[in-house]
Amino acid sequence: MKKVFSILLVMLLCFSLWSCGGRSDDGKVKLVMWIMPNSQEPVNDVRNVLRPFLLRNPEIEIEVVALDWGSAWQKITTAATSGDAPDIIQLGTTWVGSIGSMDAMLDVSANVRAVGGGQNLFVDSAWSTTLIPGTESIVSVPWIVDTRVMFYRTDVFRRLGLTTRDVADWESFERTLEKIKAANLTIENKHIEPLGITGKNDWNVIHSLAPWIWSSGGDFVSSDFKSSVISSATTQRGLMYYISLVKKGLVPIQCLEQNSYQISSDFNNGVYAIYFDGPYSLKGMTTPPERGGGGGTFVAKNFAVAPYPAGPKGRYTFCGGSNLAIFKTTKHKEAAWKVVEYLTTNEKAQIAYSQMTGFLPALNSAYSNPYFTDDPFRRVFSDALRNSKAYPAIPAWGQMETVVLTRDFGLMWDEVVRNQGDYSLMQLLNRLNIIHQEMEVILKEAAKQWEKRGKK
């Protein structure tokens, strides 16, 4: 019993030290910052970015702790409800609404205004995730941005006389895929499949579908965020177009059993002519092998990037990433804000972290730096942000995304696989109606809880 008690005491002490900032023996302010694995060396990379800041602010110490994405949601929500929390936290943009509604985050509206420029400092779609719609309290600040573009094989396009004009909209995109399929190419001993997309086993399943839904005029929730519009005719149109690429044999059916990492690896290995991915994959393909990248391969020498093809209602891509927030329980609000301000609004810090992680900066001015203006690939990503869209930062979104949308869209792809691509509009509508009902329940419950906290 004594041994058990001792173990529990040590665990409690360790957790307390891990989660709470304070003052070290030399009187320095010690902050604890939770981050996610944004790079191969997540803790060291953040420390390196912070080094100039800490030299100018020797009274501050920062302990950086990396959480894995699999357990982060539970640890952050536990911290938010228990009050035993770090000083600074990285929040995925799709989590801001749910975590923010727990009233655990510090309102940094005045701090952001004091920096000057306010929301104009940041990428528009990233800024939309900083506060809960209908409120005025900014509870997080954009830090890193994720968006998606098209990766394509330039050697395949050259052989078939194709240019980016041939993938400019849905109609030409489909014609191009058909042309690649008809060419039946084999390059470097690899048969070229027209398009690689992820399916039922992918954590990115919603982010991969969203651009096609938005580009057809569809959406997930209504403009007042009170009800689901997932089964609308415009959403059906976007999804059916995307699914039709599978039905027409332009996507290998086995793709739909794979996740983002597998599709990305297969593109890098020469299997696909086209796929869609984020800026971190660009970093991977342009980093030399001796530094852990995939640069120097045949595909790395024969690829380029382009925007998503435009749909009937425009061209959209997904915008995600992460914000930084400060827990209300911190004893060092001023020092914590200094750190957040440095990481989010210092142009050199933003570019340095982008170079380390591959994610894009959230700070608008960073895109005027030659690192972006002089690189044609990075310019495509920065241009894509103008057509990017983020999910609404509403209290219900976190649960809808993690519990309903990821699971049910995975089931949708499972049905497509089981039907060998012969998937009907009625089957899709049945699935969307199930999703709609589940979303309605979550939206109503979240609204009820929100009102209980005196919010409207």
Side-chain angles (χ1 to χ4, degrees):
M1 186 65 189
K2 187 176 178 182
K3 185 176 179 182
V4 171
F5 177 76
S6 298
I7 293 171
L8 288 172
L9 187 62
V10 170
M11 288 176 65
L12 180 61
L13 179 62
C14 290
F15 183 74
S16 297
L17 289 172
W18 180 56
S19 60
C20 303
R23 281 190 183 275
S24 55
D25 293 340
D26 56 5
K28 287 185 175 182
V29 172
K30 183 178 179 182
L31 302 174
V32 177
M33 178 180 183
W34 287 2
I35 62 164
M36 310 302 176
N38 304 315
S39 59
Q40 290 183 341
E41 297 186 63
V43 173
N44 285 338
D45 285 344
V46 171
R47 284 177 178 161
N48 287 333
V49 172
L50 284 169
R51 187 168 291 129
F53 169 84
L54 294 174
L55 288 173
R56 290 199 300 272
N57 297 274
E59 75 283 5
I60 298 176
E61 285 185 350
I62 305 171
E63 180 185 358
V64 181
V65 179
L67 310 180
D68 67 82
W69 280 104
S71 63
W73 172 263
Q74 184 177 355
K75 287 179 177 173
I76 294 172
T77 52
T78 299
T81 52
S82 69
D84 196 354
D87 302 278
I88 303 168
I89 183 76
Q90 174 183 345
L91 288 180
T93 55
T94 61
W95 293 1
V96 172
S98 300
I99 306 290
S101 69
M102 296 176 182
D103 204 27
M105 299 302 162
L106 192 68
D107 179 357
V108 294
S109 307
N111 304 75
V112 174
R113 283 196 297 272
V115 173
Q119 70 181 80
N120 294 327
L121 286 171
F122 302 101
V123 172
D124 285 344
S125 46
W127 177 259
S128 71
T129 66
T130 60
L131 74 174
I132 297 172
T135 70
E136 295 180 351
S137 300
I138 298 168
V139 294
S140 63
V141 186
W143 183 28
I144 53 176
V145 173
D146 173 17
T147 197
R148 311 292 163 85
V149 302
M150 180 193 307
F151 286 66
Y152 67 95
R153 289 276 295 274
T154 51
D155 57 328
V156 172
F157 273 44
R158 273 195 305 272
R159 283 198 187 196
L160 301 179
L162 299 166
T163 71
T164 52
R165 288 192 297 275
D166 296 300
V167 288
D169 56 39
W170 285 10
E171 192 176 335
S172 60
F173 179 64
E174 188 173 331
R175 277 201 307 271
T176 290
L177 295 178
E178 289 170 344
K179 194 169 184 178
I180 294 170
K181 181 178 173 64
N184 197 27
L185 296 174
T186 296
I187 301 175
E188 294 285 303
N189 297 318
K190 293 284 173 58
H191 180 256
I192 304 298
E193 299 287 355
L195 176 65
I197 66 174
T198 60
K200 63 180 185 177
N201 296 318
D202 189 39
W203 57 88
N204 267 318
V205 62
I206 310 168
H207 312 330
S208 300
L209 294 172
W212 308 94
I213 291 173
W214 290 327
S215 296
S216 70
D219 214 329
F220 297 88
V221 295
S222 59
S223 56
D224 62 4
F225 312 117
K226 291 182 178 177
S227 57
S228 159
V229 294
I230 198 68
S231 57
S232 68
T234 47
T235 298
Q236 292 174 39
R237 178 172 57 177
L239 290 171
M240 277 312 290
Y241 171 79
Y242 198 45
I243 293 169
S244 75
L245 302 178
V246 178
K247 294 175 66 172
K248 292 173 182 176
L250 303 175
V251 176
I253 198 78
Q254 62 268 24
C255 263
L256 304 179
E257 306 274 2
Q258 297 182 328
N259 59 37
S260 294
Y261 175 77
Q262 292 168 313
I263 297 296
S264 176
S265 295
D266 281 348
F267 178 81
N268 296 345
N269 290 327
V271 175
Y272 303 115
I274 295 173
Y275 90 120
F276 296 88
D277 209 341
Y280 25 82
S281 291
L282 177 62
K283 173 180 165 59
M285 294 187 72
T286 54
T287 300
E290 58 271 20
R291 288 167 49 198
T297 65
F298 178 81
V299 172
K301 295 175 183 174
N302 290 279
F303 87 98
V305 292
Y308 264 79
K313 296 297 180 181
R315 187 196 312 278
Y316 290 97
T317 185
F318 161 73
C319 176
S322 289
N323 299 351
L324 291 179
I326 300 171
F327 272 102
K328 281 182 175 178
T329 50
T330 180
K331 296 174 182 174
H332 307 291
K333 293 182 174 62
E334 186 179 343
W337 170 251
K338 276 187 177 181
V339 176
V340 171
E341 180 185 17
Y342 173 77
L343 290 174
T344 59
T345 67
N346 182 287
E347 187 177 315
K348 287 183 179 176
Q350 281 272 290
I351 292 172
Y353 200 52
S354 176
Q355 291 170 328
M356 294 173 186
T357 63
F359 283 99
L360 300 171
L363 190 70
N364 274 326
S365 64
Y367 294 96
S368 299
N369 187 282
Y371 181 67
F372 285 96
T373 57
D374 291 355
D375 186 291
F377 294 166
R378 294 193 192 100
R379 282 206 306 272
V380 171
F381 274 98
S382 60
D383 290 345
L385 287 174
R386 286 197 285 270
N387 301 311
S388 67
K389 203 169 172 180
Y391 306 128
I394 54 178
W397 186 264
Q399 189 178 0
M400 285 196 299
E401 179 181 316
T402 55
V403 178
V404 176
L405 294 169
T406 300
R407 180 198 62 204
D408 280 80
F409 278 129
L411 291 172
M412 177 196 80
W413 282 125
D414 192 36
E415 290 163 355
V416 174
V417 171
R418 280 192 278 111
N419 286 275
Q420 290 294 303
D422 187 17
Y423 188 71
S424 69
L425 177 60
M426 185 55 66
Q427 286 174 295
L428 173 65
L429 188 55
N430 289 339
R431 175 57 54 192
L432 292 179
N433 284 336
I434 292 171
I435 299 174
H436 172 79
Q437 290 170 11
E438 293 175 324
M439 288 177 69
E440 286 289 301
V441 170
I442 294 173
L443 283 163
K444 284 184 172 54
E445 180 59 28
K448 194 188 303 179
Q449 295 301 322
W450 189 236
E451 286 178 8
K452 278 185 180 176
R453 296 188 179 106
K455 312 287 186 179
K456 290 184 179 179

